[in-house]
Amino acid sequence: MSSQTSGIDPVGVARPADLDGSVFEEKPQPMSDEGDHQPPAKVTKAVTRPGDRIFSGLATGSGVFVVALIGLVAIFLILRAVPALSNDDENFFLYNGPWRTDDTAHMHFGVLDLFSVTVFVSVFALLLAMPVALGIAIYLTEYAPARVRGPLAYVIDLLAAVPSIVYGLWGIYVLAPAIAPVALWLNGNLGFIPLFADSPVNIAGGGNLFTGGIVLAVMILPIIAAVTREVFIQTPKGQIEAALALGATKWEVVRTTIIPFGTSGYISGSMLGLGRALGETIALMLILSGTSVAFGWSLFDSGSTFATHIASNASEFNNELEAGAYIAAGLVLFVLTFLVNSAARAVVGGKGRA
């Protein structure tokens, strides 16, 4: 029997046969000589239509516009603040006394107390809101029944739509009387700790940073919860199923898979909430009763943040120099929020590279 009918190569290697017994014949590829070069393939260029150019121009222009707008705001603040700072007889960053800007030739103002109160109440609110927001995000993504998940997420997101003035009124007239016993107990039993020390402000009245911080935490809660929830939902299903296949419990899946995956989003949402807290005005202005006493780093102190101090004295801007003193405070707040957002992006970028 010949090799062509038996499906056996001359060297004894079997070749694949068709269903009817015929053998597939491999066609040798034509080989080119050394001097026979194939012409290079033509590179097809993408077709650019007028609509593409318009869209690209609009997208680029939008990005440039935002950067330019931020730059113009910064330039405006600097130009308006410098003349007032040149007439300030105090150290702008270290002075914590009362502001006296009537005599524009010899003004007395500084931001030490404003900076301290703003950072203190914002960080306190952030510490209250972060664990609650994390728990909400975990519950909505992993534990909540389908019929509860949607309505509950909607209600939480709706908190972000409540006006600031409503939060302020609720805080001073409803929340403050309700938490007054807690504040008095903390002051009476833990007063030796500076955080709960006595204050010139009436603790039972509720016009202090303790009440303001809780209200602020409620205000930033939906921002942190919404961002964290959306990031947790993006956790790859393959990683979750792999953890479950290895015998992990629901909590172990959350702890070892979902939370590590969503850490950067959690931090981003928290920094967005912190930026919101740093600039809050009306709610804190209604709650905090301004005092001329220096801030003592107690939760039961009162005082003014950058935003509340500027808003409460806006009616007294009689000339450019007096207004410039408050614009200088606004410039510090502008830089502070910029640094917070930059730090958040650095942290998120580091997590992404890791």
Side-chain angles (χ1 to χ4, degrees), residues 177-254:
I179 64 175
V182 178
L184 292 172
W185 185 90
L186 290 173
N187 177 251
N189 294 273
L190 302 176
F192 60 91
I193 302 175
L195 192 64
F196 306 108
D198 290 329
S199 169
V201 181
N202 182 15
I203 297 177
N208 49 48
L209 299 177
F210 185 64
T211 304
I214 295 175
V215 172
L216 209 52
V218 176
M219 296 179 69
I220 66 176
L221 180 64
I223 300 174
I224 305 174
V227 175
T228 307
R229 183 179 74 246
E230 292 301 321
V231 175
F232 282 177
I233 292 175
Q234 303 302 321
T235 305
K237 296 298 182 184
Q239 296 183 13
I240 297 176
E241 293 172 356
L244 292 173
L246 292 174
T249 63
K250 176 71 76 173
W251 164 241
E252 288 173 339
V253 171
V254 171

Side-chain angles (χ1 to χ4, degrees), residues 59-78 334 338:
T60 304
S62 298
V64 173
F65 173 75
V66 171
V67 175
L69 184 61
I70 295 175
L72 290 175
V73 170
I75 292 173
F76 163 77
L77 293 174
I78 293 173
F334 178 83
F338 183 82

Side-chain angles (χ1 to χ4, degrees), residues 6-351:
S6 62
I8 304 298
D9 281 340
V11 295
V13 179
R15 291 177 294 176
D18 202 350
L19 295 176
D20 59 357
S22 62
V23 178
F24 293 115
E25 293 292 339
E26 295 182 1
K27 296 181 179 180
Q29 298 294 329
M31 299 182 66
S32 59
D33 297 332
E34 291 183 0
D36 185 11
H37 297 285
Q38 297 292 334
K42 294 183 179 180
V43 178
T44 304
K45 295 183 179 180
V47 179
T48 303
R49 297 182 175 87
D52 297 329
R53 297 190 185 95
I54 294 173
F55 179 79
S56 176
L58 290 175
T60 304
S62 298
V64 173
F65 173 75
V66 171
V67 175
L69 184 61
I70 295 175
L72 290 175
V73 170
I75 292 173
F76 163 77
L77 293 174
I78 293 173
L79 293 179
R80 295 296 299 272
V82 168
L85 290 173
S86 62
N87 289 351
D88 187 9
D89 289 344
E90 307 291 345
N91 188 312
F92 177 67
F93 294 102
L94 299 179
Y95 179 71
N96 61 357
W99 283 38
R100 296 190 298 272
T101 58
D102 297 333
D103 184 2
T104 55
H106 300 281
M107 295 191 293
H108 303 268
F109 62 92
V111 295
L112 180 60
D113 267 6
L114 300 180
F115 180 86
S116 301
V117 174
T118 301
V119 173
F120 184 83
V121 71
S122 299
V123 172
F124 175 60
L126 188 66
L127 293 176
L128 294 178
M130 284 183 66
V132 179
L134 180 62
I136 291 172
I138 293 174
Y139 175 74
L140 290 177
T141 54
E142 296 300 321
Y143 291 95
R147 65 180 183 275
V148 175
R149 186 176 303 148
L152 183 57
Y154 175 76
V155 171
I156 295 171
D157 293 341
L158 193 61
L159 291 175
V162 177
S164 298
I165 192 170
V166 175
Y167 277 116
L169 294 172
W170 169 75
I172 195 63
Y173 290 114
V174 178
L175 180 64
I179 64 175
V182 178
L184 292 172
W185 185 90
L186 290 173
N187 177 251
N189 294 273
L190 302 176
F192 60 91
I193 302 175
L195 192 64
F196 306 108
D198 290 329
S199 169
V201 181
N202 182 15
I203 297 177
N208 49 48
L209 299 177
F210 185 64
T211 304
I214 295 175
V215 172
L216 209 52
V218 176
M219 296 179 69
I220 66 176
L221 180 64
I223 300 174
I224 305 174
V227 175
T228 307
R229 183 179 74 246
E230 292 301 321
V231 175
F232 282 177
I233 292 175
Q234 303 302 321
T235 305
K237 296 298 182 184
Q239 296 183 13
I240 297 176
E241 293 172 356
L244 292 173
L246 292 174
T249 63
K250 176 71 76 173
W251 164 241
E252 288 173 339
V253 171
V254 171
R255 182 171 56 86
T256 61
T257 303
I258 296 176
I259 292 180
F261 178 83
T263 299
S264 61
Y266 180 49
I267 296 174
S268 297
S270 301
M271 293 302 101
L272 286 176
L274 179 59
R276 170 78 167 84
L278 289 172
E280 176 52 38
T281 307
I282 299 299
L284 290 181
M285 190 167 65
L286 292 175
I287 295 171
L288 299 179
S289 54
T291 177
S292 58
V293 180
F295 176 58
W297 297 97
S298 171
L299 281 173
F300 307 120
D301 283 339
S302 185
S304 298
T305 64
F306 283 110
T308 61
H309 188 66
I310 294 171
S312 60
N313 293 277
S315 60
E316 301 179 6
F317 296 171
N318 298 321
N319 54 70
E320 291 189 1
L321 285 177
E322 190 170 358
Y326 294 90
I327 291 176
L331 176 61
V332 177
L333 179 60
F334 178 83
V335 174
L336 178 61
T337 54
F338 183 82
L339 292 176
V340 167
N341 289 318
S342 299
R345 292 188 63 85
V347 171
V348 173
K351 291 287 183 180

